[in-house]
Every structure is written in C-alpha cells, then in structure tokens.
Amino acid sequence: VTSADFVNTYTVTGDETIIIKGTKELVGKDLEDNTFTFVLKDLAGAVIDTKQNVDGKFEFELKYTGEDAGKVFEYQLVELNGDMERVTYDTSAYTIKVTVSDNGEGGIIVESQITKGEEAVTECAFVNVYTPKPDDMAVEIIVDKTVQNIGTEEIGPDGFEFVLENVTISEKHFAVSDVNGKATFTLVFSESDIGKTYTYKVYEVNNGRENVKYSTVVYDVTISIALGDDNKLYATVTKGEETVNEVVCEFENIYDETPPAKPGDSSKTVLWTIALGISAFGFAATMYYGKRKKEEQDA
C-alpha cells in the first residue's frame, strides 16, 4: 500500500421512550373505568394507538431508536366520540411534536411538545358532561264552577262535566266538578315535549239538566315547553292572549226551579176568575136586597 487509510464509523444506538399523559373527567356522573376511548393518530390520519381511561387517567408510550435521530414526528390526540347516552363529548384536539436528535455520544435525545391550538400544555385533558334526564313537569288547569239559583230551590256546583280538548293532537280529557265547584286537569310533560307547543280548549258539557242554563264560555289555552339552563322543564302558559302563572277557567250556570206554565194550567185561572165573579155578584145582590128591604120598612 502506498498510504495508510483509517475509516471510523459512528453509530447512534440505544432507544428512548416518552409518555404522553392525559386526564379524563366526567361532570354530572361517576366516571367508570374503560368507558371512554382516546386515539393517537399521525397527521395523515393513520391510527398509532388507542387507550381507555383508568382511574381518570390514560397515557401513550412512544418509543424511538437511533434510526430516528434527526427526525421530527407529529401526532394528534383526540377523544373518540362514542354513543354513551346523554353525554356531551369533549372535542378538544391536541398536537404532539416529537423531536429525536443525536446526543453526540452515540445515543439519542427525545423531546416532546404538546399544544392545544396555540397554547402549550403539559398533558391532554378531556372533560365530558353528563346531562341527566330532566324530571317530568305538571301543569294544572283549574275549573271554577258557580251556580246562580233563582227561586227557593237551589242546586250546588257539583256534578257538572268539563272537557279539556287538545286541539293539536285531537285528544279530549274529562273532569267533573266537586261539591265546591272545583275540577282539575293535570297535564304531564316530559323531555320529549321540549320545543313543542300545544293548544287546548276548555268548555262545559251540556248534559241537559232540567231548569239549568249552561255556560257557553270556551277558553283557549296554549302551553309551550322549554328546557332551562338548570336542566329543568319550564312551561309558558297563555289563556287567551294573556300569559299566566295559573290557569283558572270560570263557568257560571243559572238554575231556575220555576218551570214554564203547562198547557191546562190556564183553566185553573179561569175557574178562579169565575168563582171570584160569582162571589162578587152574590155580595152585590145581597147589598141591593138588604137596602131595598130597609127602605120598605122605613116607608
């Protein structure tokens, strides 16, 4: 050989592992293990790994070797939007950037950075919200019945029938007034009624009771159901054109126990008239003959 050539080879060896940590919180309900899934993907959308929550936490392990020295890896971490009933899922997306470099001593240095939008964070936190089913809500429509009695005989306000007609779905409910003239319709609304409006009519049934003049008043009632920020059902109720807190529908009937004169009753009146006429004639005749007899005696 004419010269001595020495060629050294520098090799980066070893491996390093980093851990991407995350937390899971469920508001409104106890969090059970293995109920939510988290997905780590590369920027092309390929799934790298999936994990589930345990004790409110989860973590991903990422391993790199000397072959990765000088490379940069980027990932996205999201929660899988499952189908758990009444749960609003967290739609946060975290970007994880991993840089692998040569430490100059044959090993590697692995550094990671986690961001959420433009904000740097140390872990990936996901918060879901469980919204319980709102309790059913009742709306009462009260009937107040009165009777105006004419004459000596009287009847009470009980036993009269009323109808609550749901015009929206063509459904009728019936109620009968008690001894105080009260009747109540109770309408129960549930979660399925949220955002809906129902229109009703309230009126009295004419059952043809003798000597009773029935009320012909018809009340229009509208009920709209909404969900409040406190997860409770609320009703907006209008009677006619007025928004009310309590629906009271008043009805008044008239009872007159004196029936119209029947055919033939006039004959009694005629007989009494004749009898009175005869009596008057007899009295006049008696007076006349008495006066005449006195005149004869005086003569």
Side-chain angles (χ1 to χ4, degrees):
V1 293
T2 58
S3 64
D5 297 324
F6 296 91
V7 178
N8 292 351
T9 302
Y10 177 77
T11 303
V12 178
T13 59
D15 56 61
E16 289 288 339
T17 299
I18 64 169
I19 297 178
I20 307 298
K21 295 182 178 181
T23 60
K24 181 64 198 175
E25 182 181 358
L26 179 60
V27 177
K29 187 179 182 181
D30 291 339
L31 177 62
E32 298 180 2
D33 290 347
N34 303 309
T35 52
F36 297 99
T37 302
F38 307 91
V39 181
L40 183 68
K41 304 180 290 184
D42 63 21
L43 296 186
V47 176
I48 305 300
D49 198 2
T50 62
K51 296 291 182 180
Q52 290 187 310
N53 60 290
V54 176
D55 293 331
K57 301 177 182 179
F58 65 90
E59 59 183 37
F60 290 90
E61 292 186 3
L62 299 175
K63 187 176 182 178
Y64 301 91
T65 66
E67 295 180 356
D68 299 315
K71 298 179 181 179
V72 176
F73 300 88
E74 289 191 74
Y75 310 93
Q76 187 179 65
L77 177 58
V78 296
E79 180 181 12
L80 183 65
N81 193 337
D83 56 359
M84 183 174 290
E85 187 177 4
R86 314 193 66 79
V87 171
T88 300
Y89 285 79
D90 193 329
T91 58
S92 299
Y94 294 88
T95 299
I96 298 143
K97 182 177 181 180
V98 178
T99 302
V100 183
S101 57
D102 179 1
N103 65 3
E105 298 178 354
I108 58 175
I109 298 174
V110 180
E111 297 175 306
S112 64
Q113 182 184 28
I114 305 174
T115 56
K116 181 182 180 181
E118 300 297 325
E119 180 185 3
V121 296
T122 57
E123 62 182 11
C124 306
F126 294 89
V127 180
N128 289 1
V129 178
Y130 173 79
T131 304
K133 179 181 178 181
D135 294 333
D136 291 348
M137 179 197 61
V139 174
E140 290 188 343
I141 296 178
I142 301 171
V143 170
D144 187 2
K145 181 67 189 174
T146 57
V147 177
Q148 180 184 351
N149 290 287
I150 300 176
T152 56
E153 292 188 16
E154 296 184 355
I155 63 172
D158 56 308
F160 291 94
E161 188 175 20
F162 300 89
V163 176
L164 173 68
E165 181 179 353
N166 187 329
V167 179
T168 306
I169 60 175
S170 300
E171 180 181 71
K172 293 182 179 180
H173 304 271
F174 297 87
V176 177
S177 58
D178 61 16
V179 293
N180 297 313
K182 304 295 185 183
T184 302
F185 295 99
T186 302
L187 300 172
V188 179
F189 298 93
S190 65
E191 183 182 28
S192 62
D193 297 308
I194 294 173
K196 297 180 180 179
T197 298
Y198 299 96
T199 302
Y200 302 87
K201 289 185 179 296
V202 184
Y203 51 89
E204 182 177 12
V205 178
N206 187 335
N207 288 323
R209 290 176 66 172
E210 188 175 3
N211 302 326
V212 174
K213 181 179 180 181
Y214 286 82
S215 174
T216 58
V217 175
V218 178
Y219 290 93
D220 293 315
V221 178
T222 300
I223 301 176
S224 299
I225 307 301
L227 182 67
D229 294 337
D230 55 359
N231 196 42
K232 293 182 179 179
L233 296 181
Y234 290 91
T236 301
V237 184
T238 59
K239 186 178 73 172
E241 300 296 327
E242 180 184 5
T243 300
V244 295
N245 294 323
E246 183 181 43
V247 183
V248 179
C249 301
E250 299 178 340
F251 298 88
E252 182 182 59
N253 289 0
I254 298 175
Y255 175 70
D256 185 355
E257 89 287 1
T258 306
K262 298 180 181 179
D265 286 353
S266 58
S267 62
K268 296 180 181 180
T269 304
V270 173
L271 291 175
W272 276 105
T273 302
I274 293 172
L276 289 173
I278 292 172
S279 298
F281 177 76
F283 177 76
T286 301
M287 292 295 293
Y288 173 76
Y289 284 112
K291 181 179 180 182
R292 186 172 180 181
K293 186 176 181 180
K294 183 177 180 182
E295 290 176 350
E296 290 176 351
Q297 289 176 352
D298 292 341

